[in-house]
Amino acid sequence: SFPENFSFLGFDVSFYFLKLLNEGGNRFEPLMEGRKEKYFSRNFDFFKTGIESGYENSTLRLLEYRDFELKEVVYSR
């Protein structure tokens, strides 16, 4: 059987933030901005939303099964 979507999400988020923690310790936030990374089910590209605010992920990744393969859906804004 295939892993559930939640499994991919859990791996992607955990791997991304644990990698940042490893590189920057508990002051990893500045490393997030401008760092574009692709994982199984998510892409990450954070930007700071304001001086007194946090970060927001500006990417979206859509996947579909087509011809017995997992393929990325190309989209435009």
Side-chain angles (χ1 to χ4, degrees):
S1 78
F2 291 104
E4 299 290 325
N5 289 336
F6 192 70
S7 301
F8 288 112
L9 172 63
F11 175 84
D12 292 348
V13 172
S14 298
F15 193 81
Y16 178 79
F17 284 104
L18 288 173
K19 190 173 170 184
L20 286 174
L21 277 169
N22 184 51
E23 292 176 21
N26 62 356
R27 301 190 188 276
F28 67 87
E29 284 187 18
L31 298 176
M32 292 170 51
E33 195 163 10
R35 181 184 191 133
K36 297 179 181 182
E37 297 199 22
K38 290 178 100 172
Y39 291 96
F40 291 114
S41 68
R42 300 291 185 272
N43 292 341
F44 296 101
D45 183 13
F46 285 93
F47 67 93
K48 187 126 176 89
T49 57
I51 295 171
E52 298 285 330
S53 191
Y55 292 85
E56 185 176 317
N57 189 11
S58 64
T59 63
L60 172 69
R61 187 170 190 199
L62 298 175
L63 302 173
E64 71 176 348
Y65 284 107
R66 188 174 355 125
D67 300 325
F68 302 103
E69 292 184 43
L70 191 61
K71 301 198 180 199
E72 190 165 358
V73 176
V74 178
Y75 64 95
S76 61
R77 292 181 187 188

